[in-house]
C-alpha cells in the first residue's frame, strides 16, 4: 500500500454492505495513513452482511447530510447485494457520488457497487469490472466490462469480488496518492 498520510477518504454505505468490502478498505486505508469516515443515510450504526447472514455493525462517522464531497480526496463504495440496491434509489447518495466524479476525485467500487456507477451515469464509456451477475447491467449502461480482478480507468477503481480486496486496496491507494484525475470524455 502507498503512504497516503494526510488524505481523507469517505466510504459510503448503508445496511447490507458486504462485511469485508467495508472493513478491509477501512482498515487498509487507515493503515496507509488516511483519515477514513464511514458515511451513511442515518446516524448510529449500519449492519453488514457476512457471506450468508447478517454480520457486525459498523459505526457511522457522518450522515450524508453532515458530509461534503469537498472534504474528501476519494470515495469507496462497498458492495453486497443489499447495500448498493438501497443506495441507488437515494438521490442524496447519487448526488454525493457524482460530486466526487465531476471533481476528478478517485472513486472505488467493489463487487455489486458498480450498480451505483450505472445509476449515476459514471459507468458509460468507462473500463470497469464488477461481480459477474451485474455484468449485463454495466454493459447496458455503456460500461466497458472486463473480467479482471481489478480495473483502473482514470481514477475509477473497480473490483470483482471480496477475494480481490488486496489488489483493490493497493490500486486504490496508488490512485489516491496520485491525486485528482483529469478525465477525458468517455
Amino acid at each position: 500500500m502507498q503512504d497516503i498520510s494526510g488524505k481523507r477518504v469517505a466510504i459510503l454505505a448503508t445496511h447490507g454492505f458486504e462485511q469485508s468490502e467495508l472493513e478491509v478498505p477501512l482498515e487498509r486505508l487507515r493503515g496507509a495513513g488516511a483519515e477514513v469516515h464511514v458515511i451513511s443515510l442515518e446516524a448510529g450504526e449500519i449492519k453488514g452482511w457476512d457471506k450468508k447472514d447478517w454480520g457486525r455493525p459498523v459505526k457511522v462517522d457522518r450522515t450524508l447530510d453532515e458530509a461534503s464531497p469537498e472534504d474528501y480526496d476519494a470515495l469507496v463504495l462497498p458492495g453486497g447485494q443489499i447495500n448498493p440496491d438501497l443506495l441507488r434509489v437515494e438521490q442524496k447518495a447519487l448526488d454525493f457520488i457524482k460530486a466526487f466524479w465531476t471533481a476528478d476525485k478517485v472513486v472505488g467500487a467493489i463487487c455489486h457497487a458498480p450498480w451505483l456507477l450505472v445509476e449515476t451515469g459514471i459507468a458509460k464509456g468507462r473500463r470497469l469490472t464488477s461481480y459477474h451477475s451485474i455484468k449485463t447491467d454495466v454493459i447496458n449502461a455503456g460500461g466497458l466490462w472486463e473480467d479482471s480482478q481489478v480495473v483502473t480507468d482514470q481514477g475509477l477503481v473497480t473490483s470483482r469480488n471480496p477475494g480481490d480486496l488486496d489488489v483493490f486496496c493497493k490500486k486504490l491507494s496508488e490512485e489516491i496518492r496520485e491525486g485528482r484525475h483529469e478525465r477525458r470524455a468517455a
Side-chain angles (χ1 to χ4, degrees), residues 38-60:
V38 175
I39 313 294
S40 193
L41 303 170
E42 298 173 6
E45 294 180 331
I46 50 176
K47 196 161 198 175
W49 186 263
D50 198 3
K51 298 176 187 78
K52 297 184 185 219
D53 202 354
W54 289 103
R56 298 171 297 286
V58 170
K59 180 185 171 294
V60 171

Side-chain angles (χ1 to χ4, degrees), residues 12-18 46 77-88 113 115-116:
L12 177 61
T14 192
H15 298 289
F17 62 87
E18 183 64 41
I46 50 176
L77 303 168
Q81 293 174 313
I82 301 166
N83 169 61
D85 199 40
L86 292 174
L87 288 174
R88 68 183 176 158
W115 262 339
L116 295 164

Side-chain angles (χ1 to χ4, degrees), residues 74-135:
L75 174 64
V76 176
L77 303 168
Q81 293 174 313
I82 301 166
N83 169 61
D85 199 40
L86 292 174
L87 288 174
R88 68 183 176 158
V89 297
E90 294 290 337
Q91 192 59 51
K92 276 186 205 177
L94 299 176
D95 291 343
F96 191 75
I97 296 164
K98 281 192 259 188
F100 279 85
W101 187 252
T102 58
D104 298 329
K105 295 182 180 184
V106 175
V107 175
I110 308 164
C111 197
H112 284 79
W115 262 339
L116 295 164
L117 305 176
V118 165
E119 201 64 39
T120 56
I122 294 169
K124 186 175 183 175
R126 296 284 164 213
R127 293 177 40 250
L128 67 156
T129 193
S130 67
Y131 193 68
H132 63 87
S133 69
I134 68 166
K135 171 185 174 182

